[in-house]
Amino acid sequence: MTTQVDFWFDPTCPWAWMTSRWILEVEKVRDAKVTFHTMSLYILNEGRDLDPGYRERIDATLVASRAAAAVQKLHGHDVLRDFYTALGIRLHPGGEPVAVETVAAALADCGLEAGIAERVTTDEFDTDLRAYQKVAQDLVGTDVGTPVIRVNGMALFGPVISPAPKGEAAGELFDGFVKVTAYPGFFELKRSRDVGPIFE
Protein backbone atom coordinates (compact mmCIF):
# COMPACT_ATOMS: atom_id res chain seq x y z
CA MET A 1 0.00 0.00 0.00
CA THR A 2 1.27 3.46 -0.90
CA THR A 3 2.41 5.53 2.09
CA GLN A 4 1.00 9.04 1.95
CA VAL A 5 3.52 11.68 3.02
CA ASP A 6 2.71 15.36 3.57
CA PHE A 7 5.63 17.78 3.57
CA TRP A 8 5.38 21.39 4.81
CA PHE A 9 8.19 23.76 3.87
CA ASP A 10 9.28 27.37 3.89
CA PRO A 11 11.07 27.74 0.54
CA THR A 12 13.85 29.89 2.01
CA CYS A 13 15.07 27.36 4.59
CA PRO A 14 18.16 25.45 3.39
CA TRP A 15 17.51 22.64 5.87
CA ALA A 16 13.97 22.14 4.57
CA TRP A 17 15.46 22.09 1.08
CA MET A 18 17.86 19.30 2.07
CA THR A 19 15.03 17.28 3.59
CA SER A 20 12.85 17.82 0.51
CA ARG A 21 15.53 16.36 -1.74
CA TRP A 22 15.67 13.31 0.53
CA ILE A 23 11.88 12.82 0.58
CA LEU A 24 11.76 13.01 -3.22
CA GLU A 25 14.49 10.36 -3.34
CA VAL A 26 12.33 8.22 -1.04
CA GLU A 27 9.63 8.12 -3.73
CA LYS A 28 12.13 6.33 -6.00
CA VAL A 29 12.91 3.54 -3.54
CA ARG A 30 9.72 3.14 -1.48
CA ASP A 31 6.02 2.98 -2.32
CA ALA A 32 5.43 6.53 -1.12
CA LYS A 33 3.64 9.57 -2.51
CA VAL A 34 4.63 13.04 -1.27
CA THR A 35 2.28 16.02 -1.24
CA PHE A 36 3.94 19.41 -0.71
CA HIS A 37 2.39 22.17 1.42
CA THR A 38 3.44 25.73 2.19
CA MET A 39 4.38 27.04 5.62
CA SER A 40 6.01 30.29 6.71
CA LEU A 41 8.93 31.11 9.00
CA TYR A 42 7.73 34.72 8.94
CA ILE A 43 4.37 33.80 10.46
CA LEU A 44 5.92 31.30 12.86
CA ASN A 45 8.21 34.02 14.27
CA GLU A 46 5.66 36.83 14.52
CA GLY A 47 5.79 38.53 17.90
CA ARG A 48 9.01 36.81 18.97
CA ASP A 49 11.98 38.70 20.36
CA LEU A 50 14.64 37.85 17.79
CA ASP A 51 18.16 39.06 17.17
CA PRO A 52 17.84 42.03 14.76
CA GLY A 53 19.95 40.36 12.08
CA TYR A 54 17.88 37.18 12.24
CA ARG A 55 14.65 39.23 12.26
CA GLU A 56 15.77 40.93 9.04
CA ARG A 57 16.39 37.56 7.38
CA ILE A 58 13.03 36.20 8.60
CA ASP A 59 11.19 39.29 7.33
CA ALA A 60 12.76 38.76 3.90
CA THR A 61 11.31 35.25 3.66
CA LEU A 62 7.74 36.48 3.29
CA VAL A 63 7.82 37.09 -0.46
CA ALA A 64 8.92 33.50 -1.12
CA SER A 65 6.38 31.86 1.18
CA ARG A 66 3.64 34.07 -0.28
CA ALA A 67 4.67 32.89 -3.74
CA ALA A 68 4.47 29.26 -2.67
CA ALA A 69 1.05 29.89 -1.11
CA ALA A 70 -0.11 31.56 -4.32
CA VAL A 71 1.01 28.64 -6.46
CA GLN A 72 -0.60 26.16 -4.07
CA LYS A 73 -3.90 28.06 -4.14
CA LEU A 74 -3.98 28.80 -7.87
CA HIS A 75 -2.46 25.61 -9.28
CA GLY A 76 -2.50 22.89 -6.63
CA HIS A 77 0.02 20.68 -4.89
CA ASP A 78 1.62 19.04 -7.93
CA VAL A 79 2.52 22.39 -9.47
CA LEU A 80 3.66 23.64 -6.05
CA ARG A 81 6.08 20.73 -5.92
CA ASP A 82 7.63 21.78 -9.26
CA PHE A 83 7.70 25.46 -8.26
CA TYR A 84 9.45 24.65 -5.00
CA THR A 85 12.11 22.73 -6.89
CA ALA A 86 12.61 25.59 -9.35
CA LEU A 87 12.74 28.25 -6.64
CA GLY A 88 14.84 26.11 -4.31
CA ILE A 89 17.48 25.43 -6.96
CA ARG A 90 17.83 29.17 -7.45
CA LEU A 91 17.88 30.02 -3.73
CA HIS A 92 20.01 27.22 -2.31
CA PRO A 93 22.62 25.71 -4.63
CA GLY A 94 22.21 28.73 -6.92
CA GLY A 95 22.70 31.29 -4.15
CA GLU A 96 20.24 33.79 -5.63
CA PRO A 97 18.66 36.32 -3.25
CA VAL A 98 15.22 35.94 -1.71
CA ALA A 99 13.62 38.56 -3.92
CA VAL A 100 10.71 39.19 -6.25
CA GLU A 101 13.07 38.80 -9.23
CA THR A 102 14.07 35.30 -8.11
CA VAL A 103 10.44 34.35 -7.60
CA ALA A 104 9.62 35.66 -11.09
CA ALA A 105 12.43 33.60 -12.62
CA ALA A 106 11.24 30.44 -10.87
CA LEU A 107 7.68 31.06 -12.04
CA ALA A 108 9.00 31.36 -15.60
CA ASP A 109 10.97 28.13 -15.17
CA CYS A 110 7.65 26.39 -14.46
CA GLY A 111 5.67 28.15 -17.19
CA LEU A 112 3.51 29.94 -14.62
CA GLU A 113 2.04 33.41 -15.01
CA ALA A 114 4.57 36.13 -14.34
CA GLY A 115 1.95 38.30 -12.64
CA ILE A 116 2.11 36.15 -9.50
CA ALA A 117 5.47 37.76 -8.69
CA GLU A 118 3.92 41.20 -8.35
CA ARG A 119 0.85 39.90 -6.53
CA VAL A 120 3.05 38.45 -3.75
CA THR A 121 4.39 41.90 -2.92
CA THR A 122 0.90 42.53 -1.48
CA ASP A 123 -1.06 40.71 1.23
CA GLU A 124 -3.38 39.05 -1.32
CA PHE A 125 -2.38 35.50 -0.35
CA ASP A 126 -1.70 36.07 3.35
CA THR A 127 -4.99 34.57 4.52
CA ASP A 128 -4.18 31.40 2.59
CA LEU A 129 -0.61 31.35 3.88
CA ARG A 130 -1.83 31.68 7.47
CA ALA A 131 -4.28 28.84 6.94
CA TYR A 132 -1.53 26.59 5.55
CA GLN A 133 0.75 27.53 8.44
CA LYS A 134 -1.98 26.75 10.98
CA VAL A 135 -2.27 23.19 9.70
CA ALA A 136 1.45 22.61 10.24
CA GLN A 137 1.41 24.27 13.68
CA ASP A 138 -1.63 22.27 14.77
CA LEU A 139 0.32 19.11 13.93
CA VAL A 140 3.59 19.83 15.75
CA GLY A 141 3.24 23.03 17.79
CA THR A 142 5.04 26.35 17.54
CA ASP A 143 8.43 25.59 19.10
CA VAL A 144 9.75 23.87 15.97
CA GLY A 145 10.43 25.13 12.47
CA THR A 146 10.44 23.79 8.94
CA PRO A 147 10.08 21.18 7.51
CA VAL A 148 7.15 19.30 9.01
CA ILE A 149 6.40 15.81 7.74
CA ARG A 150 3.20 13.83 8.32
CA VAL A 151 3.14 10.09 7.70
CA ASN A 152 0.08 7.93 8.37
CA GLY A 153 -1.57 10.75 10.28
CA MET A 154 1.36 11.41 12.64
CA ALA A 155 3.73 14.36 12.20
CA LEU A 156 7.17 15.54 13.32
CA PHE A 157 9.50 18.42 12.62
CA GLY A 158 12.49 17.33 10.54
CA PRO A 159 14.53 15.35 9.95
CA VAL A 160 17.38 17.86 9.67
CA ILE A 161 19.98 16.18 7.46
CA SER A 162 23.05 16.96 5.38
CA PRO A 163 23.73 15.78 2.80
CA ALA A 164 20.45 14.27 1.57
CA PRO A 165 20.90 10.49 1.31
CA LYS A 166 20.43 8.74 -2.01
CA GLY A 167 19.12 5.36 -3.08
CA GLU A 168 18.55 2.71 -0.46
CA ALA A 169 20.12 4.91 2.23
CA ALA A 170 17.23 7.34 1.66
CA GLY A 171 14.75 4.49 1.99
CA GLU A 172 16.30 3.19 5.20
CA LEU A 173 16.17 6.64 6.82
CA PHE A 174 12.52 6.89 5.80
CA ASP A 175 11.77 3.48 7.32
CA GLY A 176 13.17 4.69 10.62
CA PHE A 177 11.31 7.99 10.41
CA VAL A 178 8.02 6.15 9.85
CA LYS A 179 8.65 3.98 12.91
CA VAL A 180 9.41 6.84 15.32
CA THR A 181 6.58 8.95 13.92
CA ALA A 182 4.11 6.13 14.56
CA TYR A 183 4.69 6.24 18.32
CA PRO A 184 2.44 8.97 19.77
CA GLY A 185 4.73 9.55 22.75
CA PHE A 186 7.83 10.24 20.67
CA PHE A 187 8.88 13.91 20.68
CA GLU A 188 12.53 14.55 19.98
CA LEU A 189 15.97 13.29 18.95
CA LYS A 190 18.78 15.79 18.51
CA ARG A 191 22.53 16.38 18.34
CA SER A 192 24.58 19.45 17.49
CA ARG A 193 25.08 20.10 13.78
CA ASP A 194 28.71 19.82 12.69
CA VAL A 195 28.13 20.50 8.98
CA GLY A 196 26.03 22.98 7.03
CA PRO A 197 23.70 22.15 4.16
CA ILE A 198 25.64 20.21 1.53
CA PHE A 199 24.02 20.92 -1.82
CA GLU A 200 24.36 18.63 -4.81
Side-chain angles (χ1 to χ4, degrees):
M1 182 190 323
T2 300
T3 300
Q4 299 298 322
V5 180
D6 292 284
F7 185 96
W8 280 264
F9 67 93
D10 182 301
T12 65
C13 177
W15 296 104
W17 173 254
M18 298 300 300
T19 307
S20 74
R21 299 310 94 183
W22 160 66
I23 205 67
L24 289 175
E25 185 74 9
V26 166
E27 285 190 326
K28 301 175 185 177
V29 295
R30 293 293 185 270
D31 186 7
K33 171 61 178 171
V34 183
T35 302
F36 282 79
H37 306 263
T38 306
M39 65 182 296
S40 169
L41 288 171
Y42 177 88
I43 294 172
L44 180 66
N45 285 284
E46 280 182 323
R48 294 184 177 177
D49 185 18
L50 302 177
D51 173 84
Y54 185 62
R55 168 60 65 193
E56 186 176 342
R57 290 196 301 276
I58 290 296
D59 289 351
T61 67
L62 184 56
V63 69
S65 55
R66 280 174 168 171
V71 171
Q72 180 175 330
K73 179 180 183 180
L74 298 173
H75 298 285
H77 296 283
D78 290 343
V79 176
L80 174 64
R81 171 188 183 127
D82 294 339
F83 174 69
Y84 178 36
T85 291
L87 182 59
I89 287 171
R90 289 180 173 277
L91 292 177
H92 302 301
E96 295 184 31
V98 181
V100 173
E101 294 77 14
T102 307
V103 166
L107 290 166
D109 291 341
C110 298
L112 297 171
E113 57 269 36
I116 291 175
E118 287 306 314
R119 293 166 72 182
V120 300
T121 63
T122 75
D123 63 359
E124 177 181 352
F125 297 101
D126 284 9
T127 299
D128 304 289
L129 182 57
R130 289 181 182 282
Y132 303 150
Q133 175 70 22
K134 185 177 185 306
V135 175
Q137 287 182 193
D138 286 351
L139 289 170
V140 296
T142 59
D143 57 351
V144 296
T146 180
V148 170
I149 300 179
R150 180 173 59 191
V151 181
N152 297 325
M154 299 291 288
L156 288 172
F157 160 69
V160 177
I161 51 176
S162 183
K166 302 291 186 185
E168 185 57 22
E172 290 174 357
L173 178 59
F174 180 70
D175 296 341
F177 183 84
V178 170
K179 287 179 181 178
V180 298
T181 305
Y183 181 65
F186 178 85
F187 301 105
E188 186 173 6
L189 282 173
K190 190 168 186 178
R191 63 181 170 190
S192 296
R193 302 174 196 168
D194 57 5
V195 297
I198 301 171
F199 303 125
E200 296 291 332

